[in-house]
Amino acid sequence: MAKLIADLCCRLSEIAERPQYLPGALPRLELDFHKVLIAAHDVFDPHHLATLVASALIEGEAGVREERSQQSREAVKARRDQETKAVFLDWAKGAIAEGKKADTVNELQGLEGFNPLWSKMAEKTLKKWAVEAGFKLKSGRPKKKK
């Protein structure tokens, strides 16, 4: 019903701004007014009202959750560290394609084309990004040198 009323209000505001559209819009206005009256009648039927409310709540909750989820994904993508990650992944995938290898994060930082600004990231983060890009880093603690 809200959509019907919103559409009708938009049409009426257009006609208020440009009265010359009224003669051509009269048939559509009449139809829209009838739709609103029918929808309003349905709302007063208790059974129909309960059905409308239940479906609106289900659709509304799902829509709100999806919208919030989308906003969250967009917010994460816009963060500076995620932009840096995207640039790093592009470089790393190119380095792997060229056949470059690294066993540790320190070796990774020594590869040609590695941006020194990426070293400001935590070692754990760089390792995670490198593995995501496709580098096969050695796991475990480094061996002691005797």
Side-chain angles (χ1 to χ4, degrees), residues 34-91:
H34 284 292
K35 286 181 181 179
V36 169
L37 287 173
I38 291 169
H41 182 272
D42 286 343
V43 169
F44 286 114
D45 176 22
H47 176 69
H48 192 265
L49 177 62
T51 307
L52 284 174
V53 168
S55 66
L57 286 175
I58 291 170
E59 290 174 12
E61 288 176 9
V64 166
R65 270 189 260 121
E66 179 58 33
E67 184 178 340
R68 285 184 186 157
S69 179
Q70 182 64 28
Q71 288 173 346
S72 298
R73 285 192 294 271
E74 295 300 322
V76 169
K77 287 180 186 176
R79 286 188 344 213
R80 177 170 282 147
D81 66 319
Q82 294 302 307
E83 292 171 352
T84 303
K85 178 183 177 182
V87 174
F88 175 85
L89 290 176
D90 287 341
W91 168 80

Side-chain angles (χ1 to χ4, degrees), residues 93-139:
K93 289 177 182 177
I96 291 171
E98 293 174 6
K100 296 180 182 177
K101 295 182 180 181
D103 291 332
T104 64
V105 173
N106 288 337
E107 288 180 17
L108 179 74
Q109 292 172 340
L111 292 177
E112 183 182 331
F114 185 88
N115 188 339
L117 295 175
W118 296 335
S119 295
K120 292 182 180 179
M121 302 301 290
E123 186 173 328
K124 185 177 178 180
T125 302
L126 282 176
K127 184 175 183 178
K128 183 179 172 186
W129 289 359
V131 169
E132 185 177 330
F135 278 102
K136 306 281 188 231
L137 301 178
K138 288 186 178 179
S139 60

Side-chain angles (χ1 to χ4, degrees), residues 1-12 28-43 48 52:
M1 182 169 166
K3 184 176 180 337
L4 292 172
I5 292 174
D7 290 343
L8 181 62
C9 287
C10 286
R11 186 160 287 112
L12 288 172
R28 182 66 189 182
L29 279 176
E30 182 181 11
L31 181 64
D32 286 349
F33 278 121
H34 284 292
K35 286 181 181 179
V36 169
L37 287 173
I38 291 169
H41 182 272
D42 286 343
V43 169
H48 192 265
L52 284 174

